[in-house]
Amino acid sequence: MEDYYQDHHIIYHEKTFHIDPSSFLEPLRKHLKPGDKVLDVGCGSGRDLLWFKMRGFRVVGFERSEGLAALARKYADCDIIEGDFERYDFSKQTFDAILLSGALVHIPHAHLEAVFRNIVRGLGEGGYVLVSLKEGSGSAMDRYGRTFYFWRDEDLRDIFLAHDVKILEFHKSVSKVNETDTWLSYVLVKGFQGPRVIKGFEGGNAINNIQDSREVDG
């Protein structure tokens, strides 16, 4: 896959930054308290970082694209780590929450578990994760040369529960960008010892307008 997010970072920014992310970030925000430290992996040009920062959270971004990282520093005015999240050592810092809004859609099925395990090493005990992936089977390449990998809910649940995280909320929604796409979104908690609580919503749920940080093709 060509480096779409570097080569087209200005176009990508212009197509995504103006979108109000409230509907799909609120399920995570309501579990946090002001001052909590949030890491946005695959932060793009900083839209979601700015949203959390304006609500009193300490934010850090992680982005592979040099161009998008520079835009995120400009618009969110926060620290941005540049790197490859498949190789970066996330245990270097501890966060109260990690945002994976569409960040893993290009990870092949065989690699997702290892990538997820590496990223949540940066999560403190009792910390939260918001992760969203596309529902389906197999993979597909879009007109920009990006390969997207699709998932079944039951397979994702197996991966999450094998890594000391519990599902607090589950949301399923049809994409407003591409009606053929259905998004699976989970709010997870690390090391949760209380009763397992899973809330499921479909159709007209609170995140029906989900637009992940890695989709621009309408």
Side-chain angles (χ1 to χ4, degrees), residues 6-212:
Q6 175 59 25
D7 298 340
H8 304 282
H9 65 277
I10 297 296
I11 294 173
Y12 176 76
H13 163 73
E14 292 174 346
K15 289 185 176 181
T16 60
F17 192 81
H18 71 281
I19 297 169
D20 181 1
S22 299
S23 60
F24 53 92
L25 297 183
E26 182 61 25
L28 174 62
R29 186 213 61 80
K30 68 183 182 182
H31 292 283
L32 307 178
K33 61 184 183 299
D36 279 350
K37 191 174 183 181
V38 179
L39 174 67
D40 184 359
V41 176
C43 66
S45 57
R47 178 195 65 201
D48 298 350
L49 289 168
L50 180 60
W51 189 92
F52 276 107
K53 184 177 181 179
M54 291 176 64
R55 286 156 179 80
F57 298 96
R58 296 175 295 151
V59 295
V60 176
F62 189 99
E63 177 56 54
R64 187 185 68 175
S65 164
E66 181 180 353
L68 286 175
L71 289 171
R73 291 189 187 96
K74 175 181 177 181
Y75 290 105
D77 190 23
C78 67
D79 290 338
I80 307 294
I81 302 167
E82 291 185 44
D84 182 345
F85 60 60
E86 294 189 63
R87 298 176 175 84
Y88 185 79
D89 181 4
F90 284 89
S91 67
K92 293 178 179 180
Q93 298 188 57
T94 300
F95 296 90
D96 300 297
I98 296 177
L99 178 61
L100 293 167
S101 182
L104 305 180
V105 292
H106 301 309
I107 301 300
H109 298 107
H111 299 162
L112 185 86
E113 184 169 2
V115 172
F116 180 78
R117 179 172 60 247
N118 180 47
I119 293 173
V120 297
R121 290 173 66 198
L123 198 65
E125 192 72 8
Y128 298 91
V129 184
L130 174 61
V131 56
S132 59
L133 288 155
K134 293 187 177 186
E135 182 182 47
S137 60
S139 62
M141 182 179 291
D142 73 1
R143 62 192 175 101
Y144 302 108
R146 300 175 297 175
T147 300
F148 291 84
Y149 293 87
F150 305 103
W151 288 88
R152 298 186 306 167
D153 172 52
E154 54 266 39
D155 294 331
L156 290 173
R157 289 175 184 265
D158 288 343
I159 291 174
F160 299 149
L161 297 178
H163 292 88
D164 193 31
V165 294
K166 297 293 186 293
I167 302 170
L168 293 181
E169 298 190 29
F170 168 62
H171 303 266
K172 182 176 179 179
S173 61
V174 175
S175 173
K176 291 293 185 179
V177 176
N178 187 342
E179 292 183 355
T180 64
D181 288 337
T182 299
W183 286 95
L184 305 174
S185 182
Y186 306 81
V187 177
L188 314 171
V189 62
K190 182 178 181 180
F192 184 62
Q193 299 300 318
R196 184 179 175 191
V197 178
I198 301 177
K199 299 178 181 178
F201 300 90
E202 297 190 22
N205 62 68
I207 56 169
N208 192 54
N209 294 317
I210 189 167
Q211 163 79 34
D212 75 89

